Amino acid sequence: MNGHLEAEEQQDQRPDQELTGSWGHGPRSTLVRAKAMAPPPPPLAASTPLLHGEFGSYPARGPRYALTLTSQALHIQRLRPKPEARPRGGLVPLAEVSGCCTLRSRSPSDSAAYFCIYTYPRGRLGGRRRATRTFRADGAATYEENRAEAQRWAIALTCLLRGLPLPGDGEITPDLLPRPPRLLLLVNPFGGRGLAWQWCKNYVLPMISEAGLSFNLIQTERQNHARELVQGLCLSEWDGIVTVSGDGLLYEVLNGLLDRSDWEEAVKMPVGILPCGSGNALAGAVNQHGGFEPALGLDLLLNCSLLLCRGGGHPLDLLSVTLASGSRCFSFLSVAWGFVSDVDIQSERFRALGSVRFTLGTMLGLATLHTYRGRLSYLPAIVEPSSPNPAHGLPRAKSELTLTPDPAPPMAHSPLHRSVSDLPLPLPQPDLASPGSPEPLPILSLNGGGPELAGDWGGSGDAPLSPDPLLSSPPGSPKAVLLSPVTKGPPVIPPSSGLPPPTPDARVSASTCGPPDHLLPPLGSPLPPDWVTLEEDFVLMLAISPSHLGADMVAAPHARFDDGLVHLCWVRSGISRTALLRLFLAMERGSHFSLGCPQLGYAAARAFRLEPLTPRGVLTVDGEQVEYGPLQAQMHPGLGTLLTGPPGCRGREP
């Protein structure tokens, strides 16, 4: 049967996606979670029509449209009053859709049903803005029939957004949808110059409510709060833990999971990151992995939020780092010594400036450039027998050659006394409703039905629309939105630096659990003969796991989340300040290896040992300062799971 619906849009768009796994039926165990992460069946061709129908507009006197839903986009063609030769906004890539909901008119005489999608297209100046498109299903005589048609489209679109397969027989029923995924959101209210809470409230919470995701939200109150929280968490209640901050909060979460006695199960909990800090390196890698153009600030947050709404996990390599004292921690990002760690720590005093702190720190570091004597040893990955690429002048691992990426796009605390699942405080509705909304709208547990702008559903002379929970949630589904008993208003930021002053002992806590490092002899013992050792005067040494060192710094362009490698980059002494600056500028495009700099070195390794011979210096793990002295590390392939986007798709932006 035909449906009929509306079009209230505001912007243009572009496509994106990719991955392995989806927001499936909320995994209750490792086995179920593993099944949920299994590769989906072969996808349909992007142009294969899945649904087609005629829809009307809201307000009702507007145009009529033919809608066609494919696995990649919603195609919209105006039929009346006059077909468009070149329809504007006629293609809505699913990569830009956060969710959808069904609506009904508040007028008893209106037999139509309504289908609304939430989109975040890119404007002409590049930034994303929220837009809604509402269509009127009015092809049948009764409301029940029109409601069933709107429901069919909402279910199909939600399945596509969550990476769930549609049945081949065309029977689209509510049984296809699992219960809403349950996420634990951890927000560092001091992140991003104190904007993290504001951005979370204004952008993140509305978007994940539109996607139909269930969540609890907790504001962290001190250093290592997140680590302590996940150590005592009942993980079976959650489908993912998402940090809304910079890289440091995720570092706490991962090490907290690996501190648990059940770490083998705990570390499989999918984790995600929504960038609201100053570093945002992992988010930059997720953004690239999702096929988006490089982005910073709010655009990067919206891109990563869209990917999170789509669900899907990817294996994440974790680096086990053993320090001089024998303590151990786990890194998802980098180990740095020399120029990079100096800039990272010395720029802490400029944290209130946000990401600009790194630019300022780099300039100061160049002005006082130091060299450090040290010994770097590593267990190389299997090396390709052919000679190195002369354009790079660097040794390349066989595994790196097989993982060559697609061309880069242009470029005072109170302890928590109860489980977060017992926090029954709903998010105050005004926080998610637009000013001037005539009446608060109920929170929907389906299809991202959450709070909505009343202006999207009201037209001059037409009865306003209200959410219609067409698809009832499965039994036991949680409430859509919960908050921890923290302050309702914005957090109070101390007038000093905006952060509690860290102490050296508080920066990185030791991990007592986790997998054994079978490739590493005890620190201080001789290394096996198949290791390579360099003793040099270094300007910097960087061991990095993902591709990005910052949101706009592609330090290891060939790196993958699950390539099983630690990518070692170093710069020897003798490089000029100008050449070093040129390297970092080229790193924004990931082209620094093609500069032919003789002081730049690279190796892909499975393990390494670093022995500083200079008595003073700074070492960092994932941007956090650790004790200075010898350290060694081993990569554990695919130990964690990172929420990165939908299954089987690769996002692309023209």
Side-chain angles (χ1 to χ4, degrees), residues 11-95:
Q11 258 85 194
D12 35 340
Q13 33 37 204
R14 36 202 53 135
D16 88 303
Q17 293 132 2
E18 124 167 90
L19 217 97
T20 55
S22 68
W23 284 131
H25 299 259
R28 314 310 302 158
S29 66
T30 301
L31 177 61
V32 177
R33 186 176 290 130
K35 290 179 179 179
M37 303 303 295
L44 295 169
S47 59
T48 303
L50 302 175
L51 288 178
H52 182 79
E54 181 181 332
F55 295 88
S57 294
Y58 180 77
R61 294 174 300 281
R64 299 196 69 80
Y65 297 92
L67 300 187
T68 302
L69 181 64
T70 70
S71 62
Q72 298 295 316
L74 177 66
H75 300 258
I76 304 169
Q77 181 181 8
R78 191 173 73 186
L79 299 176
R80 293 192 298 274
K82 180 181 178 182
E84 296 174 291
R86 290 185 171 184
R88 292 186 304 165
L91 178 70
V92 179
L94 300 192

Side-chain angles (χ1 to χ4, degrees), residues 201-541:
K201 183 176 66 171
N202 293 343
Y203 300 103
V204 174
L205 300 188
M207 189 181 291
I208 63 177
S209 294
E210 292 161 2
L213 307 182
S214 173
F215 63 89
N216 278 54
L217 182 149
I218 290 180
Q219 293 182 20
T220 58
E221 300 172 343
R222 63 189 182 279
Q223 213 158 26
N224 284 321
H225 186 185
R227 183 172 187 148
E228 298 163 9
L229 178 64
V230 300
Q231 285 174 345
L233 203 62
C234 179
L235 296 179
S236 63
E237 296 182 2
W238 308 100
D239 298 306
I241 301 174
V242 179
T243 60
V244 186
S245 183
D247 296 312
L249 201 59
L250 185 60
Y251 173 88
E252 289 188 23
V253 168
L254 286 169
N255 279 274
L257 292 173
L258 283 157
D259 270 345
R260 295 168 57 112
S261 59
D262 62 345
W263 65 266
E264 291 180 89
E265 294 297 315
V267 76
K268 297 172 185 176
M269 168 64 64
V271 297
I273 187 166
L274 295 178
C276 287
S278 53
N280 303 327
L282 188 64
V286 170
N287 184 72
Q288 175 177 285
H289 183 265
F292 290 119
E293 296 177 0
L296 296 172
L298 183 56
D299 284 341
L300 179 62
L301 174 63
L302 293 177
N303 287 353
C304 291
S305 298
L306 279 171
L307 292 170
L308 177 70
C309 290
R310 304 293 302 277
H314 199 94
L316 177 67
D317 297 340
L318 295 179
L319 188 69
S320 166
V321 183
T322 303
L323 305 175
S325 63
S327 61
R328 192 166 69 139
C329 57
F330 289 85
S331 161
F332 64 87
L333 184 57
S334 66
V335 176
W337 177 51
F339 184 81
V340 172
S341 58
D342 291 348
V343 168
D344 206 351
I345 298 306
Q346 292 172 10
S347 66
E348 284 281 345
R349 54 185 151 159
F350 309 122
R351 181 175 285 273
L353 300 177
S355 59
V356 178
R357 66 178 258 221
F358 296 112
T359 303
L360 183 56
T362 298
M363 295 299 104
L364 294 176
L366 287 171
T368 59
L369 193 60
H370 299 288
T371 59
Y372 300 87
R373 187 75 181 173
R375 187 180 300 118
L376 173 64
S377 306
Y378 60 90
L379 176 63
I382 301 173
V383 177
E384 186 74 17
S386 59
S387 59
N389 185 334
H392 289 62
L394 299 172
R396 300 183 66 192
K398 179 178 180 180
S399 54
E400 178 193 343
L401 295 175
T402 60
L403 290 169
T404 301
D406 294 334
M411 308 275 145
H413 82 258
S414 54
L416 189 67
H417 292 295
R418 26 179 212 159
S419 166
V420 292
S421 60
D422 297 329
L423 307 175
L425 302 180
L427 185 69
Q429 188 68 30
D431 286 344
L432 291 181
S434 64
S437 180
E439 59 180 285
L441 298 173
I443 293 173
L444 296 185
S445 59
L446 154 78
N447 286 2
E452 180 45 75
L453 301 178
D456 293 334
W457 298 342
S460 176
D462 286 80
L465 306 179
S466 61
D468 179 17
L470 290 173
L471 310 182
S472 58
S473 300
S477 293
K479 299 294 183 183
V481 182
L482 295 174
L483 269 182
S484 64
V486 196
T487 173
K488 292 183 181 179
V492 178
I493 301 176
S496 58
S497 65
L499 283 175
T503 62
D505 293 337
R507 287 181 179 245
V508 173
S509 302
S511 177
T512 57
C513 301
D517 295 327
H518 64 282
L519 298 177
L520 298 175
L523 191 59
S525 301
L527 291 168
D530 53 347
W531 284 55
V532 177
T533 298
L534 305 171
E535 186 170 328
E536 303 269 1
D537 289 321
F538 295 98
V539 171
L540 67 87
M541 197 292 297

Side-chain angles (χ1 to χ4, degrees), residues 66-138:
L67 300 187
T68 302
L69 181 64
T70 70
S71 62
Q72 298 295 316
L74 177 66
H75 300 258
I76 304 169
Q77 181 181 8
R78 191 173 73 186
L79 299 176
R80 293 192 298 274
K82 180 181 178 182
E84 296 174 291
R86 290 185 171 184
R88 292 186 304 165
L91 178 70
V92 179
L94 300 192
E96 296 182 347
V97 177
S98 61
C100 62
C101 72
T102 52
L103 309 169
R104 69 173 302 171
S105 173
R106 294 176 186 174
S107 170
S109 61
D110 189 353
S111 63
Y114 298 84
F115 165 54
C116 177
I117 64 172
Y118 308 98
T119 69
Y120 290 80
R122 296 176 65 90
R124 291 182 177 84
L125 299 180
R128 293 193 185 277
R129 294 188 61 187
R130 181 181 180 279
T132 61
R133 304 198 67 156
T134 307
F135 302 94
R136 175 185 171 94
D138 57 5

